[in-house]
Amino acid sequence: MSVITTERQGDVLVITSDNPPVNALGAAVRQGLEAGIKEGVADPSIKAMVITCAGRTFFAGADITEFGKPMQEPGLPTLIEMIEAADKPVVAAIHGTALGGGCEVALGCHYRIAVPSAKIGTPEVKLGLLPGAGGTQRIPRIAGVKLALEMTAKGDPIPVKVAQAAGLIDRLAGEDSLLADAIAFAREVADTRPLPIASQKTATPDPDAVAAFKKENARRFRGFDAPAANIACVEKAADGSSFAEGIAFERQEFMKLMMGVQSAAQRHIFFAERQAAKIDDVPADTKLRDIKRVGVIGAGTMGGGISMNFLSAGIPVTIVEMQQDALDRGTGVMRKNYEGSAAKGRIKPEAVDQAMGLLTPTLSLDDLADCDLIIEAVYENMDVKKELFGKLDAIAKPGAILASNTSYLNVDEIASATKRPEDVVGMHFFSPANVMKLLEVVRGAKTAKDVLATVMALGKKIRKVPVVSGVCPGFIGNRMLSQRQIAANEMLMQGATPQQIDKVHVDFGMPMGPFQMSDLAGVDIGWHRDPTRIESIRDALAAEGRWGQKKNAGFYDYDEKRQPSPSPRVAEIIEEFRAKSGNEKRDISDEEIVERTLYPMVNEGAKILAEGMAQRASDIDVVWIYGYGWPVYRGGPMFWANTEGLSKIVAGLEKHGYEVAPLLKEKAEKGERFA
Ligand code: T1G
């Protein structure tokens, strides 16, 4: 059965694509569209054509799985030129998300009609690419330079009403009558001549808009290759060049990006993120438990942030605290966060009360009896957790899921405090929990498969990226992070400075380095609180009250605007420690810092894989992209290791005296890569 079918509706030919799940413009779709257009053009009784898609969406882009493989004709640019050159009007009927190549096909059509709920966009930049089938040349010609910059260099889809106002969409259809309205529209314009052709329009130069756009987004685009290429193509469309010259430039820039490491990394993460949602031994059709109400224990920073995720998804939350003032403080912070988002226009004003209206604060654990999922976010202490889970075991209804937000404690031991370990799972959120996208789902030895499947699906529903981790200290992310922190502290003792080490990480593309991160999280996190016991530089800082940003002093000094500056006092403390430790002070190169902070992370990643604590290497990459700000254009630690070269990493680890993980050594020796 061809993925493309054609059907006559009187004098209108309807060309329908049915290529689930998202009508990706793979070879068969392109070939079918080509045949459909040829059929319509050749048949004298056909006055106009409509291109439409079955299923949940109009074409969501080129088929990304075809990238890097030999291209089958017709290519997308050729197909779109053919549509545009047709001597009868072609109408694109859009629903769902017309993205990338799908948006470009629509712009190659003479007219576009869409349902009000549809979106249109060119997200290629999120794959390290640009719209390579004429999008960078047709969008500015229709909608102007400003919107073209937004659409191409940022990649976020726009609602069709905004697109209509900009001339990208000609008409809105009824939400449930797209095809009928499209056929009527096609019939209405059947005799219109000349046909409106985007490539024949001209774009007005707007150098001020380009300059302002670059300035506004400099920080956002830092490290990425693709945004600048998108901007250059849009500029080309409006600098008086012909359409053909613009297309040639677009193709050249597209191929440069396609061949680059950044796009390979970003495409890797596109699929890795979707792969992470799948659990190898849990069938996709596993029946999920119903989650109608969620209980959260602890209204502190984590408990409040966790609750907001569910409230924002329309799921009622019962939140428990020990003291009334702590409860009031916690719910107050949640309301303030919502009001802040409303003030910034991120949510509608009425959404504040809608969300807070779903919240039930209480001082009694018993009020959790009707919850389908209970998540604890209390103090990180095993005895405290076990005592609490023992109580929950008595309170929670049968079938309720009991989850711990612990960031490193043993979930199996916590589960052993209940008679229902199969209902216990770890749900490790990252601070701020209402913002950070990563959710480490910690699978206990006895965690039931439907509990896992339910939590993974719920994770997606609250707009998180859930990744499964086994039970081990620090799970996937923190376990690898601790290797970096250990190495970073060692190098302080040998002559490096916090600012030097942090700069290497920021230049690498991380949002911040190890010491800036410690200052943000709090130097006192996990500190033994005994100011007389000074066994590390961190102990010395904590003992002096240098707890980080919250104290305007940590590894850095901070001004009233929280701007960090190197601290003479910290330099003294480090010097005292180094002298006491007998370490020789020496120059440490930036290259050595990369080797000693990132290679051990890869090494630990290989151990995590070998132990089965992560299902696949790409899961580790997803953890670091969404939990720790690893630059997406480097694809995550394991993908990066492949580009760095596993043999080089093994050599670097051995040079610095590390025991190399057997899996890493084996792959390096065999010339293999992490999948
Ligand atoms: N190609 C191949 N597979 C795709 C795909 C695509 N474009 N889009 C989605 N899939 C698969 C995906 O891997 C998953 O597979 C399933 O479809 C459902 O996706 C020349 C060069 C459309 C908003 O960047 O943003 O056009 O895991 O889980 O949450 O200029 O998919 O089930 O096996 O994401 O409902 C530009 C990419 C391409 C859009 C739907 N287009 N897709 O989200 O479902 S480059 C994009 C999305 C291009 C031209 C250039 C989202 C979605 P599986 P899903 P969803």
Side-chain angles (χ1 to χ4, degrees):
M1 171 73 173
S2 166
V3 287
I4 300 287
T5 52
T6 60
E7 187 196 351
R8 291 181 64 98
Q9 291 277 344
D11 53 5
V12 174
L13 185 70
V14 177
I15 304 168
T16 304
S17 170
D18 190 359
N19 182 32
V22 296
N23 282 300
L25 287 151
V29 172
R30 298 193 307 272
Q31 287 151 4
L33 284 173
E34 180 185 42
I37 295 291
K38 281 186 176 162
E39 179 189 337
V41 167
D43 183 337
S45 67
I46 292 295
K47 306 287 297 293
M49 291 170 262
V50 169
I51 295 178
T52 187
C53 292
R56 63 175 150 159
T57 181
F58 192 75
F59 308 111
D63 187 334
I64 309 170
T65 62
E66 287 186 350
F67 292 177
K69 297 177 187 148
M71 218 279 294
Q72 293 181 52
E73 292 301 331
L76 207 45
T78 313
L79 172 67
I80 293 172
E81 267 167 36
M82 204 188 79
I83 294 171
E84 197 176 54
D87 60 359
K88 302 169 183 180
V90 182
V91 176
I94 299 168
H95 73 294
T97 50
L99 300 177
C103 171
E104 292 170 298
V105 165
L107 297 179
C109 294
H110 306 106
Y111 298 93
R112 288 154 291 280
I113 182 168
V115 294
S117 64
K119 289 197 169 180
I120 185 170
T122 50
E124 286 88 340
V125 72
K126 298 183 182 198
L127 299 170
L129 297 168
L130 53 81
T136 71
Q137 301 307 301
R138 289 191 171 87
I139 296 174
R141 283 174 164 77
I142 297 173
V145 163
K146 254 206 183 113
L147 184 59
L149 290 171
E150 286 288 332
M151 288 180 71
T152 59
K154 287 188 179 172
D156 300 322
I158 61 172
V160 288
K161 289 204 175 106
V162 175
Q164 186 185 26
L168 292 169
I169 297 288
D170 300 288
R171 183 166 297 182
L172 292 185
E175 198 58 52
D176 309 314
S177 59
L178 175 62
L179 187 54
D181 295 349
I183 293 168
F185 186 27
R187 206 159 278 137
E188 193 186 309
V189 295
D191 301 319
T192 305
R193 293 298 180 282
L195 292 169
I197 293 180
S199 61
Q200 291 174 0
K201 294 176 185 287
T202 54
T204 313
D206 192 346
D208 295 347
V210 173
F213 183 81
K214 285 181 180 171
K215 191 156 174 273
E216 263 162 48
N217 296 288
R219 196 181 149 84
R220 174 186 178 138
F221 295 156
R222 186 174 71 86
F224 288 90
D225 294 339
N230 278 270
I231 295 169
C233 288
V234 171
E235 284 185 281
K236 184 76 180 171
D239 72 357
S241 303
S242 69
F243 183 76
E245 285 162 340
I247 284 291
F249 182 77
E250 178 191 274
R251 177 65 19 195
Q252 166 200 303
E253 293 301 305
F254 179 83
M255 291 318 291
K256 260 194 251 165
L257 294 172
M258 178 65 95
M259 296 308 163
V261 171
Q262 290 204 355
S263 180
Q266 289 174 262
R267 281 179 269 140
H268 161 71
I269 291 299
F270 176 86
F271 288 113
E273 184 184 331
R274 285 152 182 82
Q275 197 61 16
K278 299 170 183 147
I279 308 176
D280 296 342
D281 64 335
V282 176
D285 60 359
T286 299
K287 188 170 176 335
L288 307 181
R289 298 190 188 181
D290 231 355
I291 306 294
K292 290 202 177 63
R293 174 170 282 278
V294 172
V296 174
I297 306 169
T301 313
M302 289 309 289
I306 292 169
S307 303
M308 289 177 72
N309 292 308
F310 296 99
L311 298 172
S312 304
I315 301 171
V317 172
T318 302
I319 191 164
V320 186
E321 253 302 349
M322 312 275 272
Q323 311 289 335
Q324 189 62 47
D325 60 345
L327 190 57
D328 297 342
R329 197 170 40 248
T331 53
V333 169
M334 291 165 68
R335 174 171 286 280
K336 237 167 101 242
N337 284 341
Y338 276 122
E339 285 164 353
S341 300
K344 291 188 192 112
R346 291 203 194 116
I347 60 173
K348 296 199 177 87
E350 61 271 23
V352 178
D353 287 334
Q354 261 161 23
M356 291 303 287
L358 294 170
L359 184 67
T360 307
T362 176
L363 297 176
S364 167
L365 275 178
D366 295 336
D367 291 341
L368 299 174
D370 63 346
C371 291
D372 306 294
L373 163 67
I374 300 171
I375 306 172
E376 65 76 17
V378 301
Y379 183 57
E380 286 275 45
N381 173 285
M382 185 54 86
D383 297 338
V384 171
K385 304 262 188 199
K386 288 174 82 172
E387 189 202 340
L388 176 60
F389 272 73
K391 288 185 186 152
L392 290 177
D393 199 17
I395 293 167
K397 65 181 179 184
I401 297 175
L402 307 179
S404 170
N405 178 53
T406 180
S407 59
Y408 64 92
L409 293 173
N410 186 317
V411 170
D412 290 326
E413 191 179 341
I414 293 173
S416 69
T418 74
K419 293 185 228 33
R420 49 171 116 181
E422 68 282 1
D423 295 336
V424 176
V425 67
M427 290 179 75
H428 178 209
F429 290 81
F430 286 72
S431 182
N434 55 315
V435 178
M436 294 300 286
K437 287 190 65 88
L438 180 66
L439 173 64
E440 273 184 328
V441 174
V442 184
R443 178 180 192 165
K446 297 186 178 148
T447 304
K449 291 185 177 179
D450 68 330
V451 167
L452 277 173
T454 301
V455 169
M456 294 298 279
L458 192 60
K460 191 167 182 186
K461 186 170 180 184
I462 60 173
R463 298 170 173 278
K464 299 297 180 192
V465 178
V467 178
V468 175
S469 170
V471 174
C472 59
F475 314 132
I476 297 173
N478 285 346
R479 178 174 165 179
M480 293 168 70
L481 181 73
S482 63
Q483 291 303 317
R484 183 184 84 166
Q485 303 303 96
I486 292 165
N489 279 290
E490 272 170 11
M491 285 187 275
L492 285 188
M493 304 283 279
Q494 297 160 346
T497 63
Q499 50 274 23
Q500 181 197 6
I501 295 173
D502 283 348
K503 183 172 181 316
V504 168
H505 284 86
V506 171
D507 292 351
F508 183 84
M510 304 293 280
M512 62 184 70
F515 300 106
Q516 289 155 325
M517 182 191 255
S518 293
D519 278 358
L520 182 67
V523 174
D524 59 319
I525 297 282
W527 178 47
H528 49 63
R529 313 245 149 218
D530 175 358
T532 62
R533 205 173 103 210
I534 311 283
E535 289 155 1
S536 69
I537 291 171
R538 195 180 70 120
D539 283 353
L541 296 183
E544 289 195 11
R546 300 185 67 94
W547 294 0
Q549 283 196 17
K550 60 189 169 191
K551 293 279 185 178
N552 289 334
F555 281 95
Y556 294 85
D557 292 333
Y558 293 85
D559 63 19
E560 62 291 343
K561 291 203 188 88
R562 293 259 165 127
Q563 287 308 306
S565 58
S567 162
R569 175 64 195 131
V570 173
E572 265 171 27
I573 291 171
I574 292 172
E575 195 44 38
E576 283 158 20
F577 251 85
R578 187 194 61 70
K580 249 191 296 175
S581 70
N583 269 308
E584 276 303 308
K585 187 170 183 172
R586 61 181 178 83
D587 287 340
I588 295 187
S589 69
D590 292 357
E591 190 201 346
E592 179 176 349
I593 291 171
V594 168
E595 287 178 358
R596 290 178 61 186
T597 52
L598 302 185
Y599 289 9
M601 285 174 54
V602 172
N603 198 38
E604 200 62 28
K607 292 178 186 170
I608 288 170
L609 269 178
E611 294 164 19
M613 291 300 133
Q615 293 188 94
R616 44 190 94 86
S618 60
D619 283 10
I620 296 176
D621 291 335
V622 172
V623 163
W624 271 81
I625 300 279
Y626 287 105
Y628 300 83
W630 182 283
V632 67
Y633 54 78
R634 291 188 189 274
M638 307 317 274
F639 180 92
W640 172 74
N642 290 339
T643 60
E644 183 78 355
L646 301 190
S647 305
K648 181 178 174 194
I649 291 177
V650 169
L653 287 165
E654 287 170 342
K655 180 172 76 180
H656 296 297
Y658 282 88
E659 195 195 323
V660 180
L663 177 66
L664 176 56
K665 189 169 258 182
E666 185 197 324
K667 282 191 174 295
E669 280 159 5
K670 289 186 183 160
E672 291 176 359
R673 301 155 62 92
F674 288 112

PDB file of all heavy atoms in Angstrom, residues 190-212:
ATOM      1  N   ALA A 190      -9.259  28.132  -8.221  1.00  0.00           N
ATOM      2  CA  ALA A 190      -8.868  27.289  -9.378  1.00  0.00           C
ATOM      3  C   ALA A 190      -8.521  28.119 -10.604  1.00  0.00           C
ATOM      4  O   ALA A 190      -7.607  27.783 -11.351  1.00  0.00           O
ATOM      5  CB  ALA A 190      -9.985  26.316  -9.689  1.00  0.00           C
ATOM      6  N   ASP A 191      -9.228  29.217 -10.763  1.00  0.00           N
ATOM      7  CA  ASP A 191      -8.983  29.999 -11.998  1.00  0.00           C
ATOM      8  C   ASP A 191      -8.137  31.229 -11.749  1.00  0.00           C
ATOM      9  O   ASP A 191      -7.926  32.045 -12.648  1.00  0.00           O
ATOM     10  CB  ASP A 191     -10.336  30.381 -12.622  1.00  0.00           C
ATOM     11  CG  ASP A 191     -11.136  29.119 -12.955  1.00  0.00           C
ATOM     12  OD1 ASP A 191     -10.504  28.155 -13.447  1.00  0.00           O
ATOM     13  OD2 ASP A 191     -12.349  29.083 -12.634  1.00  0.00           O
ATOM     14  N   THR A 192      -7.654  31.395 -10.528  1.00  0.00           N
ATOM     15  CA  THR A 192      -6.836  32.578 -10.220  1.00  0.00           C
ATOM     16  C   THR A 192      -5.504  32.496 -10.956  1.00  0.00           C
ATOM     17  O   THR A 192      -4.815  31.477 -10.885  1.00  0.00           O
ATOM     18  CB  THR A 192      -6.553  32.646  -8.702  1.00  0.00           C
ATOM     19  OG1 THR A 192      -7.792  32.618  -8.012  1.00  0.00           O
ATOM     20  CG2 THR A 192      -5.770  33.900  -8.332  1.00  0.00           C
ATOM     21  N   ARG A 193      -5.170  33.536 -11.647  1.00  0.00           N
ATOM     22  CA  ARG A 193      -3.873  33.628 -12.339  1.00  0.00           C
ATOM     23  C   ARG A 193      -3.414  35.085 -12.296  1.00  0.00           C
ATOM     24  O   ARG A 193      -4.303  35.983 -12.319  1.00  0.00           O
ATOM     25  CB  ARG A 193      -3.991  33.184 -13.812  1.00  0.00           C
ATOM     26  CG  ARG A 193      -4.297  31.679 -14.021  1.00  0.00           C
ATOM     27  CD  ARG A 193      -3.245  30.748 -13.485  1.00  0.00           C
ATOM     28  NE  ARG A 193      -3.585  29.359 -13.711  1.00  0.00           N
ATOM     29  CZ  ARG A 193      -4.471  28.655 -12.988  1.00  0.00           C
ATOM     30  NH1 ARG A 193      -5.114  29.252 -11.986  1.00  0.00           N
ATOM     31  NH2 ARG A 193      -4.728  27.380 -13.245  1.00  0.00           N
ATOM     32  N   PRO A 194      -2.137  35.369 -12.188  1.00  0.00           N
ATOM     33  CA  PRO A 194      -1.109  34.353 -11.986  1.00  0.00           C
ATOM     34  C   PRO A 194      -1.212  33.732 -10.588  1.00  0.00           C
ATOM     35  O   PRO A 194      -1.705  34.349  -9.656  1.00  0.00           O
ATOM     36  CB  PRO A 194       0.212  35.127 -12.122  1.00  0.00           C
ATOM     37  CG  PRO A 194      -0.147  36.512 -11.619  1.00  0.00           C
ATOM     38  CD  PRO A 194      -1.562  36.739 -12.078  1.00  0.00           C
ATOM     39  N   LEU A 195      -0.643  32.549 -10.455  1.00  0.00           N
ATOM     40  CA  LEU A 195      -0.640  31.885  -9.152  1.00  0.00           C
ATOM     41  C   LEU A 195       0.381  32.573  -8.251  1.00  0.00           C
ATOM     42  O   LEU A 195       1.429  33.024  -8.726  1.00  0.00           O
ATOM     43  CB  LEU A 195      -0.261  30.405  -9.336  1.00  0.00           C
ATOM     44  CG  LEU A 195      -1.284  29.542 -10.075  1.00  0.00           C
ATOM     45  CD1 LEU A 195      -0.683  28.184 -10.421  1.00  0.00           C
ATOM     46  CD2 LEU A 195      -2.548  29.379  -9.228  1.00  0.00           C
ATOM     47  N   PRO A 196       0.081  32.697  -6.968  1.00  0.00           N
ATOM     48  CA  PRO A 196       1.055  33.296  -6.046  1.00  0.00           C
ATOM     49  C   PRO A 196       2.227  32.336  -5.818  1.00  0.00           C
ATOM     50  O   PRO A 196       2.027  31.200  -5.365  1.00  0.00           O
ATOM     51  CB  PRO A 196       0.256  33.499  -4.759  1.00  0.00           C
ATOM     52  CG  PRO A 196      -0.884  32.546  -4.847  1.00  0.00           C
ATOM     53  CD  PRO A 196      -1.158  32.277  -6.279  1.00  0.00           C
ATOM     54  N   ILE A 197       3.450  32.778  -6.170  1.00  0.00           N
ATOM     55  CA  ILE A 197       4.624  31.900  -6.060  1.00  0.00           C
ATOM     56  C   ILE A 197       5.637  32.553  -5.138  1.00  0.00           C
ATOM     57  O   ILE A 197       6.160  33.635  -5.436  1.00  0.00           O
ATOM     58  CB  ILE A 197       5.201  31.626  -7.457  1.00  0.00           C
ATOM     59  CG1 ILE A 197       4.186  30.799  -8.259  1.00  0.00           C
ATOM     60  CG2 ILE A 197       6.550  30.936  -7.386  1.00  0.00           C
ATOM     61  CD1 ILE A 197       4.592  30.435  -9.664  1.00  0.00           C
ATOM     62  N   ALA A 198       5.907  31.906  -4.041  1.00  0.00           N
ATOM     63  CA  ALA A 198       6.770  32.500  -3.006  1.00  0.00           C
ATOM     64  C   ALA A 198       8.147  32.865  -3.545  1.00  0.00           C
ATOM     65  O   ALA A 198       8.677  33.947  -3.271  1.00  0.00           O
ATOM     66  CB  ALA A 198       6.918  31.515  -1.846  1.00  0.00           C
ATOM     67  N   SER A 199       8.708  31.991  -4.374  1.00  0.00           N
ATOM     68  CA  SER A 199      10.089  32.225  -4.840  1.00  0.00           C
ATOM     69  C   SER A 199      10.178  33.442  -5.759  1.00  0.00           C
ATOM     70  O   SER A 199      11.271  33.938  -6.030  1.00  0.00           O
ATOM     71  CB  SER A 199      10.598  30.985  -5.558  1.00  0.00           C
ATOM     72  OG  SER A 199       9.777  30.720  -6.691  1.00  0.00           O
ATOM     73  N   GLN A 200       9.044  33.897  -6.242  1.00  0.00           N
ATOM     74  CA  GLN A 200       9.069  35.076  -7.134  1.00  0.00           C
ATOM     75  C   GLN A 200       8.872  36.370  -6.353  1.00  0.00           C
ATOM     76  O   GLN A 200       8.934  37.456  -6.902  1.00  0.00           O
ATOM     77  CB  GLN A 200       7.998  34.927  -8.220  1.00  0.00           C
ATOM     78  CG  GLN A 200       8.330  33.802  -9.210  1.00  0.00           C
ATOM     79  CD  GLN A 200       7.203  33.563 -10.197  1.00  0.00           C
ATOM     80  OE1 GLN A 200       6.165  34.249 -10.146  1.00  0.00           O
ATOM     81  NE2 GLN A 200       7.392  32.581 -11.057  1.00  0.00           N
ATOM     82  N   LYS A 201       8.641  36.255  -5.074  1.00  0.00           N
ATOM     83  CA  LYS A 201       8.484  37.472  -4.263  1.00  0.00           C
ATOM     84  C   LYS A 201       9.874  38.005  -3.899  1.00  0.00           C
ATOM     85  O   LYS A 201      10.869  37.293  -4.045  1.00  0.00           O
ATOM     86  CB  LYS A 201       7.715  37.150  -2.978  1.00  0.00           C
ATOM     87  CG  LYS A 201       6.246  36.729  -3.164  1.00  0.00           C
ATOM     88  CD  LYS A 201       5.648  36.360  -1.806  1.00  0.00           C
ATOM     89  CE  LYS A 201       4.218  35.822  -1.941  1.00  0.00           C
ATOM     90  NZ  LYS A 201       3.235  36.892  -2.267  1.00  0.00           N
ATOM     91  N   THR A 202       9.935  39.209  -3.418  1.00  0.00           N
ATOM     92  CA  THR A 202      11.234  39.727  -2.955  1.00  0.00           C
ATOM     93  C   THR A 202      11.133  40.055  -1.475  1.00  0.00           C
ATOM     94  O   THR A 202      10.065  40.404  -0.970  1.00  0.00           O
ATOM     95  CB  THR A 202      11.615  41.022  -3.709  1.00  0.00           C
ATOM     96  OG1 THR A 202      10.511  41.916  -3.563  1.00  0.00           O
ATOM     97  CG2 THR A 202      11.922  40.745  -5.156  1.00  0.00           C
ATOM     98  N   ALA A 203      12.266  39.909  -0.807  1.00  0.00           N
ATOM     99  CA  ALA A 203      12.306  40.189   0.639  1.00  0.00           C
ATOM    100  C   ALA A 203      12.960  41.543   0.861  1.00  0.00           C
ATOM    101  O   ALA A 203      13.947  41.876   0.205  1.00  0.00           O
ATOM    102  CB  ALA A 203      13.098  39.102   1.347  1.00  0.00           C
ATOM    103  N   THR A 204      12.411  42.300   1.788  1.00  0.00           N
ATOM    104  CA  THR A 204      12.959  43.632   2.078  1.00  0.00           C
ATOM    105  C   THR A 204      14.100  43.507   3.078  1.00  0.00           C
ATOM    106  O   THR A 204      13.921  42.897   4.130  1.00  0.00           O
ATOM    107  CB  THR A 204      11.847  44.508   2.686  1.00  0.00           C
ATOM    108  OG1 THR A 204      10.685  44.360   1.873  1.00  0.00           O
ATOM    109  CG2 THR A 204      12.275  45.947   2.785  1.00  0.00           C
ATOM    110  N   PRO A 205      15.254  44.049   2.752  1.00  0.00           N
ATOM    111  CA  PRO A 205      16.376  43.967   3.701  1.00  0.00           C
ATOM    112  C   PRO A 205      16.003  44.641   5.023  1.00  0.00           C
ATOM    113  O   PRO A 205      15.225  45.591   5.046  1.00  0.00           O
ATOM    114  CB  PRO A 205      17.500  44.738   3.010  1.00  0.00           C
ATOM    115  CG  PRO A 205      17.065  44.986   1.628  1.00  0.00           C
ATOM    116  CD  PRO A 205      15.579  44.828   1.562  1.00  0.00           C
ATOM    117  N   ASP A 206      16.542  44.145   6.126  1.00  0.00           N
ATOM    118  CA  ASP A 206      16.274  44.750   7.440  1.00  0.00           C
ATOM    119  C   ASP A 206      17.501  44.571   8.326  1.00  0.00           C
ATOM    120  O   ASP A 206      17.482  43.828   9.317  1.00  0.00           O
ATOM    121  CB  ASP A 206      15.037  44.094   8.064  1.00  0.00           C
ATOM    122  CG  ASP A 206      14.536  44.874   9.281  1.00  0.00           C
ATOM    123  OD1 ASP A 206      15.308  45.738   9.769  1.00  0.00           O
ATOM    124  OD2 ASP A 206      13.413  44.609   9.741  1.00  0.00           O
ATOM    125  N   PRO A 207      18.603  45.237   7.961  1.00  0.00           N
ATOM    126  CA  PRO A 207      19.871  45.031   8.686  1.00  0.00           C
ATOM    127  C   PRO A 207      19.757  45.356  10.172  1.00  0.00           C
ATOM    128  O   PRO A 207      20.381  44.684  11.000  1.00  0.00           O
ATOM    129  CB  PRO A 207      20.834  45.985   7.987  1.00  0.00           C
ATOM    130  CG  PRO A 207      20.007  46.895   7.159  1.00  0.00           C
ATOM    131  CD  PRO A 207      18.733  46.181   6.852  1.00  0.00           C
ATOM    132  N   ASP A 208      18.918  46.320  10.539  1.00  0.00           N
ATOM    133  CA  ASP A 208      18.771  46.650  11.970  1.00  0.00           C
ATOM    134  C   ASP A 208      18.182  45.467  12.726  1.00  0.00           C
ATOM    135  O   ASP A 208      18.619  45.122  13.829  1.00  0.00           O
ATOM    136  CB  ASP A 208      17.881  47.889  12.151  1.00  0.00           C
ATOM    137  CG  ASP A 208      18.542  49.119  11.538  1.00  0.00           C
ATOM    138  OD1 ASP A 208      19.750  49.014  11.236  1.00  0.00           O
ATOM    139  OD2 ASP A 208      17.844  50.128  11.313  1.00  0.00           O
ATOM    140  N   ALA A 209      17.187  44.837  12.104  1.00  0.00           N
ATOM    141  CA  ALA A 209      16.562  43.678  12.757  1.00  0.00           C
ATOM    142  C   ALA A 209      17.581  42.551  12.924  1.00  0.00           C
ATOM    143  O   ALA A 209      17.638  41.900  13.967  1.00  0.00           O
ATOM    144  CB  ALA A 209      15.377  43.189  11.925  1.00  0.00           C
ATOM    145  N   VAL A 210      18.412  42.363  11.896  1.00  0.00           N
ATOM    146  CA  VAL A 210      19.434  41.302  11.971  1.00  0.00           C
ATOM    147  C   VAL A 210      20.414  41.605  13.102  1.00  0.00           C
ATOM    148  O   VAL A 210      20.701  40.753  13.942  1.00  0.00           O
ATOM    149  CB  VAL A 210      20.176  41.161  10.625  1.00  0.00           C
ATOM    150  CG1 VAL A 210      21.340  40.193  10.759  1.00  0.00           C
ATOM    151  CG2 VAL A 210      19.226  40.709   9.515  1.00  0.00           C
ATOM    152  N   ALA A 211      20.867  42.846  13.149  1.00  0.00           N
ATOM    153  CA  ALA A 211      21.840  43.224  14.188  1.00  0.00           C
ATOM    154  C   ALA A 211      21.229  43.067  15.584  1.00  0.00           C
ATOM    155  O   ALA A 211      21.846  42.493  16.488  1.00  0.00           O
ATOM    156  CB  ALA A 211      22.286  44.665  13.962  1.00  0.00           C
ATOM    157  N   ALA A 212      20.001  43.525  15.727  1.00  0.00           N
ATOM    158  CA  ALA A 212      19.338  43.440  17.046  1.00  0.00           C
ATOM    159  C   ALA A 212      19.139  41.975  17.444  1.00  0.00           C
ATOM    160  O   ALA A 212      19.381  41.593  18.588  1.00  0.00           O
ATOM    161  CB  ALA A 212      17.992  44.159  16.977  1.00  0.00           C
TER     162      ALA A 212
END
